[in-house]
Amino acid sequence: MIERRRVVITGLGMATALGLDVEENWQKALAGTSGIKKLSLPGAEKSRIQAVGEIAEEEWTKIRGEFKDEAMREGERRTLFALWAAKSALEDSGLVKSDHSTASPYQETYLREKSGRCGVVMAAGLGVNRLEDIQKWVNRDREFDEAL
């Protein structure tokens, strides 16, 4: 007989074009707000792709400020997005304390007792590329080459 285990989602976190907060994302989604806008990065006019779901510059600055060491390494942006979302989910769950944690006292007690049986599941949409990373797909005529 297969043993069935309960899985409980206790915290959520995200970094999207609609914002960095779960409630903000939810409210904007309910209101029909689109996170899609014209690509604003320097040199973007050379890209065939002009409509994007881009994290706002002020929110990117906030994420980089939260993870200064990781941001200085100049890795992929999505790594910092993942760190932000994971930190937010942990705070939301009550596993870690924060100034804006919404976990109930019951959640906090339960999670402290069961903290050895917790995990984090992460997902991402399409890969996030910086324009400087796309350089390798530009041909000699400085045009984007899908074949490359």
Side-chain angles (χ1 to χ4, degrees):
M1 183 171 216
I2 297 174
E3 179 185 345
R4 293 188 178 209
R5 294 183 178 180
R6 279 190 186 181
V7 174
V8 180
I9 297 172
T10 58
L12 300 172
M14 57 181 57
T16 77
L18 292 179
L20 301 178
D21 178 76
V22 173
E23 183 62 27
E24 177 185 12
N25 271 268
W26 180 244
Q27 292 305 320
K28 286 181 177 179
L30 288 176
T33 303
S34 174
I36 305 301
K37 62 182 181 179
K38 184 172 176 55
L39 183 60
S40 65
L41 295 171
E45 67 282 351
K46 295 177 184 173
S47 174
R48 285 182 152 183
I49 300 168
Q50 291 295 309
V52 297
E54 182 178 31
I55 302 262
E57 188 59 36
E58 61 272 8
E59 291 175 340
W60 174 236
T61 300
K62 184 176 181 178
I63 292 171
R64 289 183 55 196
E66 183 69 30
F67 300 101
K68 291 180 180 123
D69 292 340
E70 292 84 356
M72 287 177 49
R73 291 188 198 119
E74 289 297 322
E76 290 188 0
R77 289 171 66 111
R78 67 178 158 184
T79 301
L80 293 177
F81 297 153
L83 288 171
W84 176 271
K87 179 181 180 287
S88 298
L90 287 168
E91 289 173 353
D92 188 43
S93 72
L95 280 171
V96 296
K97 275 292 196 188
S98 75
D99 295 337
H100 57 282
S101 179
T102 59
S104 70
Y106 171 77
Q107 277 179 306
E108 290 179 11
T109 302
Y110 180 80
L111 289 169
R112 273 193 298 278
E113 292 172 2
K114 304 292 185 186
S115 63
R117 297 187 60 196
C118 294
V120 176
V121 176
M122 299 181 70
L126 296 174
V128 177
N129 293 305
R130 297 179 301 177
L131 286 180
E132 47 275 26
D133 296 334
I134 296 174
Q135 280 297 104
K136 59 186 165 199
W137 297 309
V138 175
N139 64 24
R140 291 180 193 193
D141 296 326
R142 310 288 301 147
E143 296 171 340
F144 188 78
D145 186 339
E146 295 91 356
L148 290 174

